[in-house]
Amino acid sequence: MAQCLPFVIALAVLVIELTPAHFIYTGPLLTAMPALAAVTLGPKGTLAAAALALAISVTTATYNQAWTTLQVYTNFLALALVSIAGLLTSSAVQARRRSELEQVRRIAMAAQEVVLRPVPARLGPVRAASLSLAAGTEAQIGGDLYEAVGTRYGVRMIVGDVRGKGLTAMRAVGVALGAFRETAHYEDEPTEVMNHCSAALQREVAVPGAYSQTIRLEGFVTAVLAEIPDEPVVHVVNRGHPVPLVLHRGRVHALVPALSCPPLCLEELVTDLPRKAESYPFAVGDRLLLYTDGVTEARNRDNEFFALAKTMEAVRADTTPQEFLEELHQALVRHTGGHLTDDVAMILVDRLE
């Protein structure tokens, strides 16, 4: 409403000046337009308000044949001075806000990097790499999570996405990753690792306070867990997350689960959850990609989704995992024109033995 006030004033002045009510002195009203715009509309809005006020002043002075009076020129001088002061003030305020926002964003990104660490380059029978990209939406921390660890059961990886953004989402990320990092080393069944992550989130929801209320409303987590043992297979537990992709001999295969399962914290939606992970072939030379929906839901100017599988097949076979992810990153930037609307997280592993 405050942003419309300068233009409401402009309309009021026109009504007064172009009707029999023009005996009312409107100079102070026009002078107030750039001052109000400086507070609410920024430099461009201030300039537009000043230009509009000047145009109205010229129009009304001509209509009322007031160019011979000294008051007209006094009004122009006052309008010019207030406009200049408004532009300077608005530019300074905008610069300060930009600086404060950048500082908050740097702090948010630092906090995110503490929780999300790069995966090791070599884990048992696989080479690995990770990639995390922020959407750049002000200072909001995203809710993407990922981790890969070597255990006595094989290499275990998780990629997930907390609904929502901000510190609430980041806290949920920390809870889920903490549970995964602990239980991945002693639970022999991947489904139990995932269940522990969900239980940890549910315990956090049960804590009284504003945070738990926010999580209850919007904080469920989609996640996929993959386990790579010594055998040429990969065991997958998918809880409402985009399906992993395997690149085998130049062709991409989606690891679609036989049974759809709800995200973490929404187990009450089903009567029974699978007790065993699903297994898929994963031979030497194959590549496995876990990712968040920020990749597949990225759109171009024509509102077309990013063709992840096709892009994977186009990447050279001799690239390292990190080079492979960088190729996907560059293709994603080209597709979106550099404007991501959601955060992106990916883990890629190559089977070496």
Side-chain angles (χ1 to χ4, degrees):
M1 180 61 183
Q3 294 177 337
C4 298
L5 192 54
F7 305 102
V8 172
I9 292 174
L11 180 61
V13 169
L14 283 174
V15 171
I16 293 171
E17 291 289 342
L18 302 180
T19 66
H22 70 268
F23 61 88
I24 299 175
Y25 182 52
T26 60
L29 294 177
L30 288 175
T31 304
M33 285 179 58
L36 291 171
V39 178
T40 60
L41 297 177
K44 292 183 179 179
T46 303
L47 189 60
L52 179 60
L54 177 62
I56 293 174
S57 295
V58 172
T59 300
T60 56
T62 302
Y63 180 81
N64 294 313
Q65 299 179 354
W67 287 106
T68 58
T69 63
L70 182 61
Q71 190 63 54
V72 171
Y73 300 100
T74 304
N75 290 346
F76 283 139
L77 178 60
L79 180 59
L81 292 176
V82 173
S83 298
I84 293 171
L87 281 171
L88 294 176
T89 301
S90 181
S91 298
V93 169
Q94 189 177 68
R96 184 171 67 251
R97 287 177 179 171
R98 209 165 28 234
S99 176
E100 291 173 352
L101 182 61
E102 183 59 30
Q103 183 178 7
V104 171
R105 180 165 179 79
R106 285 198 300 268
I107 295 172
M109 293 301 295
Q112 193 172 38
E113 289 173 1
V114 169
V115 178
L116 299 177
R117 58 198 182 198
V119 303
R122 181 68 190 263
L123 287 166
V126 301
R127 292 186 303 175
S130 60
L131 177 67
S132 178
L133 301 173
T137 54
E138 298 184 346
Q140 290 293 306
I141 310 174
D144 288 359
L145 62 96
Y146 63 86
E147 181 61 290
V149 295
T151 72
R152 55 181 173 171
Y153 309 105
V155 177
R156 284 178 167 175
M157 305 172 294
I158 188 171
V159 169
D161 188 1
V162 179
R163 183 183 177 189
K165 287 183 178 291
L167 293 177
T168 299
M170 202 63 210
R171 186 171 176 179
V173 167
V175 170
L177 285 181
F180 171 78
R181 288 164 178 163
E182 178 183 0
T183 58
H185 292 280
Y186 67 78
E187 286 289 354
D188 58 355
E189 178 54 47
T191 55
E192 286 304 312
V193 178
M194 193 71 92
N195 290 339
H196 276 285
C197 293
S198 183
L201 286 165
Q202 290 174 344
R203 285 194 298 270
E204 194 71 13
V205 168
V207 176
Y211 164 72
S212 62
Q213 293 298 325
T214 304
I215 285 295
R216 185 173 293 111
L217 290 174
E218 63 176 5
F220 64 81
V221 181
T222 67
V224 60
L225 187 152
E227 177 187 276
I228 303 174
D230 293 334
E231 296 79 19
V233 296
V234 56
H235 306 305
V236 177
V237 180
N238 196 326
R239 297 291 295 273
H241 199 76
V243 298
L245 301 177
V246 169
L247 183 60
H248 174 73
R249 296 183 178 179
R251 302 294 297 175
V252 169
H253 303 275
L255 306 186
V256 180
L259 180 64
S260 296
C261 295
L264 306 183
C265 295
L266 296 181
E267 288 82 0
E268 67 273 9
L269 298 179
V270 296
T271 56
D272 192 23
L273 291 172
R275 297 184 179 180
K276 295 288 185 180
E278 298 186 45
S279 299
Y280 306 87
F282 188 53
V284 174
D286 288 352
R287 283 181 158 165
L288 172 68
L289 180 70
L290 308 184
Y291 56 94
T292 58
D293 60 8
V295 181
T296 50
E297 294 183 1
R299 300 171 185 258
N300 60 12
R301 293 181 178 179
D302 298 325
N303 210 32
E304 298 170 335
F305 290 117
F306 179 64
L308 177 58
K310 183 178 179 180
T311 305
M312 288 178 63
E313 293 174 349
V315 178
R316 301 189 323 273
D318 59 348
T319 56
T320 66
Q322 195 62 58
E323 291 171 342
F324 189 94
L325 289 184
E326 185 57 33
E327 291 278 352
L328 292 184
H329 176 203
Q330 294 303 322
L332 194 60
V333 169
R334 290 192 298 270
H335 180 77
T336 62
H339 300 291
L340 291 175
T341 58
D342 194 8
D343 292 348
V344 165
M346 291 186 280
I347 290 182
L348 181 79
V349 294
D350 284 357
R351 179 127 211 174
L352 299 179
E353 56 187 63

